[in-house]
Amino acid sequence: MPTIHPIFSSSDTITGVPASDTSSPIGRFAPSPTGRMHLGNLFTALLSWLSVRSRGGRWVLRIEDLDPQRSKREATILIEEDLRWLGLYWDEGGLENRGPHGPYSQSERHNLYEEALDRIKATGFCYPCSCSRADILATQAPHQSDGRVIYGGHCRPAHLPDPNAFQAQPGRYAVRLNVPDREIEFCDIISGRQRMNLSKECGDFILRRADGAWAYQLAVVVDDAAMGVTEVVRGNDLLLSAAQQIYLQQLLGYPTPRYAHLPLICNSSGQRLSKRDHSLSMEAIREKSTPEETIGLLAHLAGLIPEAAPISLSELIPLFSWDKLSPQPSIIL
Ligand code: GLU
């Protein structure tokens, strides 16, 4: 089904509009408070912190508690305590909502997401979708080897843009964003030039679920823009999300931050760490190691120092450079 995207008609490739001031960067750490942090979460936090601190920037702590079933306030308290233990202090955000862009917990930012969704609805590029996950799985072929589900466009209106797509829509439905059959291009600080076509990688994606929950992609884009974030550091499992987010930034007229997608830290059997890997959780780390030892290990894994020797944050700041990180997809412990 042909899709016209008048807002992108001037070029075949979509590229983000760079966030202007990168001389004084604003970075953020955006944990989901579903459990205690592990070494992989610390790796992300440390590198994001070092990147902004080495250039005199600001660091924001945003709590990504969109999922009410899995998010726990106690987990947020522990995340904050663990960051303080390491010395990774933030300038804005956290539970006390310090700073001009609060609240800093996504569960309290619904009105901002609503306003952004209304603007996207007005473009006519999103539509109600009543497909269940089972419907989508049944119509998708071939299955993606990594478990990703590509939406086949079952509910997509015949003509887009359709600003009336939501008029008199009965029942519960998710809101899906129509994606263009175009390459989205961006340069990742670590992995280099990326080109992704969302219609092939994920298909039209969800902005709001049928149960009313906001999708991660929309919330992140709205929050990064509202908080003036110029640099996003996170695991490379979210590389495709960067393309989805750049497309949303274009629709909403937001600048695109710089992206650094880090190699994933994996356990000795090659599986990425999860909150269930207790031996590498913050609880176990704090029992066995000092903050300087933990920072030394992480800095060594990042390639910033030759050996995993204890080091303080202030000694590490001048040693930080993105050039030292290798573009490997994972780091095995
Ligand atoms: N909340 C996400 C996580 O904890 C991170 C999202 C992001 O950094 O964009 O994995």
Side-chain angles (χ1 to χ4, degrees):
M1 176 187 312
T3 300
I4 319 142
H5 269 267
I7 52 172
F8 300 123
S9 57
S10 57
S11 100
D12 285 330
T13 303
I14 298 169
T15 52
V17 178
S20 54
D21 184 14
T22 47
S23 59
S24 178
I26 300 178
R28 49 54 156 199
F29 181 50
S32 304
T34 55
R36 192 91 185 239
M37 289 196 291
H38 54 61
L39 207 64
N41 306 122
L42 287 194
F43 190 61
T44 301
L46 176 67
L47 289 166
S48 169
W49 187 93
L50 284 170
S51 176
V52 295
R53 287 289 181 257
S54 62
R55 286 174 293 147
R58 293 172 66 72
W59 203 52
V60 178
L61 175 60
R62 184 169 75 227
I63 310 301
E64 299 211 324
D65 57 350
L66 279 180
D67 183 340
Q69 256 95 53
R70 296 179 62 229
S71 304
K72 296 183 188 66
R73 190 180 159 84
E74 310 83 74
T76 307
I77 293 169
L78 283 173
I79 288 169
E80 295 198 347
E81 219 177 279
D82 289 335
L83 291 174
R84 287 195 195 96
W85 178 79
L86 269 189
L88 300 179
Y89 291 97
W90 51 99
D91 305 291
E92 261 182 61
L95 279 177
E96 61 195 55
N97 280 323
R98 190 173 59 235
H101 305 111
Y104 289 87
S105 295
Q106 290 188 324
S107 58
E108 297 171 47
R109 297 176 64 81
H110 294 285
N111 50 348
L112 289 156
Y113 309 143
E114 192 87 62
E115 194 246 341
L117 184 62
D118 284 346
R119 290 212 281 131
I120 298 173
K121 280 182 175 170
T123 68
F125 281 103
C126 61
Y127 56 88
C129 169
S130 48
C131 293
S132 67
R133 193 174 161 80
D135 295 335
I136 296 165
L137 285 174
T139 55
Q140 106 148 6
H143 286 269
Q144 297 297 297
S145 55
D146 60 3
R148 244 182 312 138
V149 173
I150 300 180
Y151 184 63
H154 181 264
C155 291
R156 185 192 291 175
H159 301 288
L160 278 162
D162 180 2
N164 302 321
F166 292 90
Q167 269 178 14
Q169 176 67 24
R172 275 153 64 94
Y173 54 82
V175 178
R176 257 182 210 281
L177 179 64
N178 168 262
V179 300
D181 185 9
R182 300 240 181 129
E183 299 285 331
I184 296 192
E185 188 174 300
F186 64 100
C187 187
D188 186 77
I189 296 173
I190 298 170
S191 313
R193 186 164 171 260
Q194 306 291 318
R195 281 174 76 85
M196 293 175 191
N197 183 324
L198 294 178
S199 69
K200 304 204 166 55
E201 299 286 342
C202 59
D204 296 350
F205 61 89
I206 285 188
L207 299 177
R208 190 175 199 172
R209 291 196 327 222
D211 64 2
W214 294 102
Y216 156 74
Q217 306 295 359
L218 180 70
V220 165
V221 164
V222 169
D223 291 345
D224 283 342
M227 294 172 188
V229 169
T230 61
E231 186 174 284
V232 169
V233 179
R234 58 190 178 195
N236 66 19
D237 53 326
L238 290 172
L239 204 54
L240 172 61
S241 291
Q244 293 171 275
Q245 291 170 18
I246 289 168
Y247 175 48
L248 274 170
Q249 288 152 7
Q250 295 272 291
L251 283 175
L252 289 163
Y254 297 151
T256 290
R258 299 202 314 159
Y259 288 103
H261 287 89
L262 302 173
L264 298 181
I265 308 243
C266 295
N267 61 23
S268 48
S269 12
Q271 289 153 335
R272 70 179 276 212
L273 295 190
S274 81
K275 289 183 174 145
R276 288 180 294 274
D277 278 298
H278 296 297
S279 64
L280 294 160
S281 86
M282 280 309 290
E283 196 173 357
I285 291 169
R286 286 177 65 165
E287 265 166 33
K288 289 187 300 221
S289 326
T290 64
E292 287 75 17
E293 285 167 343
T294 311
I295 292 163
L297 170 63
L298 293 167
H300 175 62
L301 293 175
L304 300 178
I305 55 175
E307 276 163 43
I311 188 165
S312 70
L313 287 173
S314 51
E315 289 169 307
L316 191 56
I317 289 173
L319 302 178
F320 175 79
S321 162
W322 283 121
D323 296 339
K324 294 184 184 168
L325 268 97
S326 88
Q328 57 194 333
S330 56
I331 297 174
I332 313 271
L333 283 173

